[in-house]
Amino acid sequence: MRVTNNMLSSQLLLNLNRNSERMNNTQNQMATGRKLNKPSDDPVGITYSLRYRSELSSNEQYQRNVDSAVSWLDFNDTVMDQAGQIMQRVRELTVQASTGTNPQSALDSINKEIGQLKEQMIDVVNSQLNGKYIFNGQTYDKKPYDLPLNADNTHDTSGAASIATDTGNVNFIVGENVALPINVTGNEVVGTSTDADNLFTIFNQLSAALASGDIKASGDQLANIDTRMDKMLKVRSEMGAKSNRVELMQSRLSDLEVNLTDLQSKTEDADYAELLMNSKIQENIYNASLSAGAKIISASLVDFLR
Amino acid sequence: MPSTFHSIETAKRSLFTQTAALNTTGHNIANANTEGYTRQTVKMRASIPMEAYGINRSNVPGQLGTGVEFDAIERIREKFLDSQYRGENTELGSWTIRSNTLDKLQQIMNEPSDTGIRKVLDNFYKSWSDLSKDPESVTARTIVKENALALTDAMNHMSKQLSNLSADLTSNVEAKSSELQSYVNSIADLNQSITKIEGLGDNANDLRDQRDLIVDKISKIVNVTVTDTDQGYNVNMGGQALVTGFAPTTGINGAFLQAAFASNDLQGGEIHGMIISRDQFVADYTAQMDNLANTLANGDISVTLPKGSVLPEGTVLNGVTYTGTNRTLQSDLTVTVKGLNGLHQLGYTQEDKDANGNMVAGKPFFVASNNGGAITAGNITLNTAIVDNPNAIAASLRVTGTAPTEELVKGNNTLASLMSNLKLNNFTSVSTGNKATIDSFFSSMVGQLGIEAQEATRQTQNSTALVSQVETMRQSVSGVSLDEEMSNMIKFQHAYSAAARFMTTFDQLLDKLINSTGVVGR
């Protein structure tokens, strides 16, 4: 085959171009740190990559939702703890009042304290987290135990027992199709209108008994106090169980995040060791083709004929 | 007997011929880098020998040589390689354009990235999820609104880029067609010039080079076949004549080429690549994006409304009209609604009550900006009622009481949760009826683009390799080798010198005869 000067130079150019294109590609991967820079780099990989990215984004959102759920549940727990302490004190006072050795003045002062504890309890069941009344179901924009005031600035609780709080669940989405109800309704804590151990019924009957010095009637409330405290403990332990579940969810989500990031990295990220090797090899090849080219191009019969 | 001066004539012919050969060598060297140049050689042959004249046949032995002459200066070229080159070049032209377009499409899709459609779609769902935690909050609503706007903006922008690309391709076809027209005109002109010159018996080598070069160039733009006739090249694109003799086809424009594409005459070359790029690739991805937008807004989805939800007065679902007391669902209800818009209309906004004292139900979330038409990626926009008032976003699926004292349960987040869950919902594509999540529609589109772009890149590389291979073979036959020309030059130079020496020798011979003989006794 005849070989002409043009063939030599165009072949050289072609080779140099091909080599520098490869180098460019390698360098691009090194600069971005990714082997998947556009869909055609890996058409199958890109669909995985998009899925991982999208799942990571969902995961991030679930984690945020779980965090909110945790703070709601923690707040619930705190509030229930306060309610429990109040009940504990009420029980102590009731026991104290029921011994039969108290003069009416003592019963009156016990009654005063019970009154204050009731006020405290009203505050507790009207607790707000971020402006939401946590014991009023989905109608958390409304105060659940919105009681009228008496002349002495205490709350009139005569109708309180009949208040029905909203039964709607406040659901947080904490995973794919996992909706977690995180709220407790006021009625679960306080009791419904038909419950004999409704908190407000207990308070009111206790106050009435103490005011009239009816020690037996006040002692009778002990049983109601105990069942109410049991129920409140049950609610609290449910919250605790839910907290556990959410914490599990939290660690599962962070595990998942690690896994997804790992998968994403395997699909998208470049292998630096390999890239550096390739880059070095390509550099050598490029240099070799340059020096070969320099030799081929310079030598011509013209140089030797005089 | 030869004439006394016969040998001088022989020497002269030799000088002339070697000069012509040297001249051609110079021409070759000068054009070593000229595009499309074919090396030329001087066809030498011994000139017709003569018999000594006389009445009878001369008894002088043999025929008397008269030296050298050249009868032609020829190009050294193989026609077969030309047609092979043009065939491969046509493929290359088409694939290069396709590959370029697909690269641009990849840039438009901009995946994988943190700024593409997928990301804004994710953000959109996320903002609904955040709203589900605070369904009464205007801040969360505003974020939903902003993310929805970001989503529609991204779609609008992509659609705009796609239509720009399509328009670019159309104008490129026009530009290329006028280039093609000027080439076609040149070939007809060259046909005429070449026929005129060659009618006189000469070879119009350089004009032929030019003509072949132009055909090579045309072959990159469209597919060509060439037939060599007495009237010059007849150039055809499929069954469509571009040049017949001295007559170029006039009026080569976009419409002409589009018709040729439709009739299958146009099967390769850059224009073919442009038309395919525009009518297949860009059109396909535009349609897929339009479908994506419309499906998100209106594609059938199956959702489960939890028990206790209250549907807006007069809602019709699965053929059941919900009114009065049956508006409150007694058990979970799985229904098919028309996309995000259909779902949004099942919920209640935080706007003031309507004239009947009912809470206001959600409005279509996405609308077409041109009002009434089908939603496309280009015209999808957020309902202006929502843009103006984020409280018009429906998040709750529950009301209490009855009209006129109906009241919104602000803390109900059912609709917001369902919306954020749409990410996992299968939508039924409005245009194809396929069922998949919006994410899958998008990622399958990106995957398809990746495969097409990869294929186009591979084909481009293949045809580049083929073209350069054929071109190498062609260069091997027709290219100028400086080494070869240099050795020829020396060959001809020596021949010239020798012929001149021969003339000198003969000159001395005659000098001897004329000036040095018959001088006895002088």
Side-chain angles (χ1 to χ4, degrees):
Chain A
M1 182 159 117
R2 274 180 86 242
V3 178
T4 66
N5 300 70
N6 258 337
M7 279 160 74
L8 287 176
S9 56
S10 63
Q11 189 64 42
L12 173 70
L13 218 61
L14 207 72
N15 289 337
L16 287 180
N17 262 335
R18 196 178 298 144
N19 288 336
S20 44
E21 196 184 320
R22 272 193 209 127
M23 277 167 67
N24 181 41
N25 188 20
T26 307
Q27 260 152 27
N28 188 26
Q29 287 188 37
M30 291 210 287
T32 58
R34 296 207 310 234
K35 67 179 172 204
L36 185 52
N37 288 300
K38 53 182 193 298
S40 61
D41 289 342
D42 182 359
V44 178
I46 181 82
T47 56
Y48 284 103
S49 153
L50 290 179
R51 208 181 73 212
Y52 297 144
R53 280 164 173 262
S54 162
E55 281 177 7
L56 274 170
S57 152
S58 302
N59 190 280
E60 188 194 333
Q61 183 65 34
Y62 294 145
Q63 285 181 328
R64 270 163 61 181
N65 292 0
V66 165
D67 290 345
S68 305
V70 167
S71 68
W72 185 300
L73 287 168
D74 283 352
F75 184 69
N76 259 333
D77 190 63
T78 313
V79 169
M80 290 305 290
D81 183 53
Q82 289 166 6
Q85 284 171 18
I86 296 172
M87 288 310 283
Q88 202 63 49
R89 182 66 188 150
V90 169
R91 193 176 191 284
E92 279 169 31
L93 290 172
T94 312
V95 171
Q96 203 183 337
S98 314
T99 54
T101 57
N102 298 306
Q104 185 58 38
S105 61
L107 293 182
D108 284 346
S109 56
I110 289 176
N111 195 10
K112 279 236 167 57
E113 192 174 348
I114 294 282
Q116 286 308 310
L117 287 170
K118 186 172 75 180
E119 288 298 311
Q120 179 67 24
M121 191 57 107
I122 291 170
D123 272 357
V124 167
V125 295
N126 281 336
S127 290
Q128 272 182 294
L129 172 69
N130 297 331
K132 298 184 175 80
Y133 293 100
I134 59 167
F135 289 128
N136 208 14
Q138 293 179 350
T139 53
Y140 53 57
D141 51 321
K142 298 195 185 74
K143 207 179 203 177
Y145 294 96
D146 197 6
L147 303 167
L149 286 177
N150 292 319
D152 60 353
N153 238 9
T154 58
H155 286 93
D156 173 11
T157 53
S158 54
S162 62
I163 287 176
T165 52
D166 184 60
T167 51
N169 285 329
V170 174
N171 289 318
F172 275 18
I173 297 186
V174 290
E176 274 190 23
N177 293 320
V178 185
L180 186 74
I182 48 155
N183 65 323
V184 178
T185 66
N187 286 154
E188 280 177 88
V189 180
V190 175
T192 60
S193 58
T194 53
D195 288 341
D197 57 356
N198 184 298
L199 256 183
F200 293 105
T201 314
I202 294 173
F203 273 118
N204 289 344
Q205 291 194 356
L206 209 53
S207 284
L210 291 171
S212 62
D214 186 347
I215 299 171
K216 185 178 174 304
S218 67
D220 286 350
Q221 289 305 318
L222 272 178
N224 284 337
I225 292 172
D226 286 347
T227 57
R228 176 50 43 198
M229 278 175 78
D230 272 359
K231 285 178 185 167
M232 282 165 68
L233 266 180
K234 203 176 134 233
V235 168
R236 209 177 155 192
S237 62
E238 255 176 47
M239 306 299 314
K242 247 176 220 174
S243 282
N244 277 346
R245 185 178 158 200
V246 169
E247 271 156 29
L248 276 178
M249 199 76 86
Q250 220 167 7
S251 64
R252 208 179 55 121
L253 287 172
S254 61
D255 283 353
L256 193 63
E257 186 184 338
V258 173
N259 289 344
L260 284 171
T261 313
D262 197 40
L263 286 169
Q264 187 198 8
S265 147
K266 277 186 185 142
T267 319
E268 290 184 8
D269 291 357
D271 177 348
Y272 266 96
E274 194 187 323
L275 275 183
L276 281 168
M277 286 267 282
N278 284 342
S279 153
K280 209 70 210 161
I281 294 171
Q282 284 158 3
E283 213 177 293
N284 287 339
I285 295 178
Y286 187 69
N287 282 337
S289 46
L290 275 180
S291 69
K295 287 197 180 91
I296 292 172
I297 283 193
S298 70
S300 143
L301 196 52
V302 183
D303 301 295
F304 298 98
L305 290 175
R306 287 284 177 268
Chain B
M1 267 301 281
S3 137
T4 312
F5 299 123
H6 176 90
S7 292
I8 290 184
E9 182 62 26
T10 306
K12 188 194 83 186
R13 282 184 184 183
S14 177
L15 288 178
F16 282 2
T17 306
Q18 302 307 332
T19 312
L22 266 174
N23 193 33
T24 303
T25 301
H27 186 51
N28 280 344
I29 292 172
N31 285 295
N33 293 323
T34 304
E35 191 188 11
Y37 181 77
T38 311
R39 72 185 163 117
Q40 299 175 6
T41 54
V42 174
K43 286 280 154 203
M44 294 185 207
R45 63 168 190 201
S47 52
I48 300 161
M50 56 185 264
E51 306 250 339
Y53 30 86
I55 296 171
N56 297 314
R57 190 186 174 280
S58 160
N59 56 356
V60 173
Q63 285 192 309
L64 194 60
T66 56
V68 69
E69 67 181 14
F70 63 100
D71 58 354
I73 300 174
E74 283 180 352
R75 301 194 300 163
I76 300 182
R77 199 171 173 102
E78 263 182 48
K79 278 204 171 131
F80 168 69
L81 291 174
D82 283 344
S83 64
Q84 216 179 13
Y85 176 87
R86 287 163 192 160
E88 301 299 348
N89 204 23
T90 300
E91 286 293 300
L92 175 61
S94 179
W95 281 112
T96 308
I97 297 287
R98 282 193 247 183
S99 173
N100 284 345
T101 311
L102 288 162
D103 273 348
K104 283 179 195 151
L105 282 169
Q106 291 196 87
Q107 280 163 18
I108 291 175
M109 289 291 169
N110 190 20
E111 293 294 348
S113 80
D114 287 330
T115 48
I117 289 273
R118 190 204 54 75
K119 184 71 182 177
V120 286
L121 206 53
D122 276 348
N123 288 345
F124 176 65
Y125 292 127
K126 277 167 120 173
S127 62
W128 276 105
S129 192
D130 279 334
L131 178 61
S132 81
K133 291 185 288 178
D134 285 312
E136 81 289 5
S137 147
V138 176
T139 319
R141 283 159 189 274
T142 309
I143 294 170
V144 170
K145 180 192 98 178
E146 290 304 328
N147 277 315
L149 284 174
L151 175 62
T152 56
D153 284 350
M155 284 181 169
N156 297 162
H157 181 62
M158 187 182 283
S159 176
K160 182 84 194 143
Q161 282 179 302
L162 287 171
S163 66
N164 284 349
L165 182 53
S166 181
D168 283 353
L169 286 165
T170 304
S171 60
N172 285 354
V173 168
E174 289 295 340
K176 274 284 165 195
S177 62
S178 54
E179 191 180 336
L180 180 60
Q181 178 75 71
S182 76
Y183 285 151
V184 164
N185 293 345
S186 302
I187 288 191
D189 288 350
L190 283 165
N191 276 347
Q192 198 161 14
S193 308
I194 292 168
T195 311
K196 209 183 277 174
I197 291 167
E198 297 193 345
L200 303 174
D202 290 331
N203 287 339
N205 289 328
D206 297 316
L207 291 182
R208 276 181 175 269
D209 278 352
Q210 275 182 37
R211 188 172 62 177
D212 281 325
L213 180 64
I214 291 174
V215 178
D216 285 353
K217 287 186 171 165
I218 290 182
S219 76
K220 185 148 198 184
I221 302 176
V222 294
N223 49 307
V224 280
T225 45
V226 172
T227 22
D228 201 354
T229 68
D230 292 343
Q231 294 266 294
Y233 278 1
N234 283 348
V235 180
N236 288 313
M237 172 179 72
Q240 173 76 49
L242 294 181
V243 182
T244 310
F246 308 154
T249 302
T250 48
I252 296 176
N253 53 21
F256 171 87
L257 292 159
Q258 190 75 47
F261 181 79
S263 65
N264 228 6
D265 286 324
L266 177 60
Q267 289 181 324
E270 290 173 328
I271 292 178
H272 175 257
M274 286 167 191
I275 294 179
I276 287 214
S277 291
R278 186 190 58 194
D279 294 356
Q280 289 183 9
F281 300 147
V282 181
D284 181 30
Y285 291 110
T286 307
Q288 288 199 43
M289 278 310 298
D290 287 349
N291 180 42
L292 187 81
N294 199 9
T295 300
L296 177 67
N298 295 318
D300 281 354
I301 40 172
S302 166
V303 289
T304 301
L305 309 173
K307 153 183 150 186
S309 300
V310 183
L311 294 171
E313 176 70 30
T315 305
V316 180
L317 279 177
N318 297 358
V320 181
T321 307
Y322 292 87
T323 175
T325 49
N326 83 345
R327 286 170 59 196
T328 307
L329 301 179
Q330 298 306 317
S331 57
D332 287 1
L333 177 67
T334 301
V335 288
T336 302
V337 293
K338 295 272 172 212
L340 202 144
N341 279 355
L343 184 57
H344 192 248
Q345 292 176 59
L346 294 183
Y348 301 95
T349 68
Q350 286 195 164
E351 294 170 300
D352 295 335
K353 287 182 220 181
D354 65 14
N356 301 323
N358 283 313
M359 291 310 304
V360 179
K363 297 163 219 19
F365 197 77
F366 292 121
V367 291
S369 56
N370 54 359
N371 281 331
I375 289 180
T376 64
N379 68 19
I380 190 170
T381 182
L382 190 59
N383 197 329
T384 44
I386 295 171
V387 178
D388 296 343
N389 177 14
N391 276 337
I393 293 172
S396 168
L397 250 179
R398 218 182 124 202
V399 289
T400 54
T402 49
T405 56
E406 193 173 82
E407 259 192 85
L408 176 69
V409 177
K410 284 187 174 179
N412 182 290
N413 65 3
T414 312
L415 192 66
S417 302
L418 286 173
M419 283 288 190
S420 71
N421 252 344
L422 285 186
K423 182 173 180 171
L424 308 168
N425 260 75
N426 280 334
F427 283 70
T428 306
S429 156
V430 178
S431 64
T432 64
N434 291 338
K435 286 182 113 164
T437 62
I438 293 291
D439 273 6
S440 316
F441 280 125
F442 185 68
S443 68
S444 75
M445 184 165 93
V446 176
Q448 183 196 341
L449 176 60
I451 291 173
E452 282 176 353
Q454 200 182 39
E455 156 86 358
T457 310
R458 194 168 44 234
Q459 293 281 11
T460 310
Q461 280 167 353
N462 283 352
S463 17
T464 309
L466 284 171
V467 166
S468 75
Q469 199 190 345
V470 179
E471 174 62 12
T472 305
M473 285 161 73
R474 223 161 58 150
Q475 280 290 319
S476 171
V477 175
S478 306
V480 176
S481 158
L482 288 178
D483 290 352
E484 184 181 318
E485 298 303 328
M486 286 304 287
S487 47
N488 281 342
M489 196 165 85
I490 288 166
K491 196 168 77 181
F492 297 136
Q493 191 188 3
H494 280 308
Y496 183 91
S497 308
R501 176 62 59 89
F502 169 60
M503 192 179 262
T504 322
T505 308
F506 205 76
D507 177 47
Q508 281 179 4
L509 228 75
L510 289 178
D511 184 44
K512 192 76 185 166
L513 187 66
I514 295 166
N515 297 324
S516 311
T517 51
V519 290
V520 177
R522 220 185 340 185

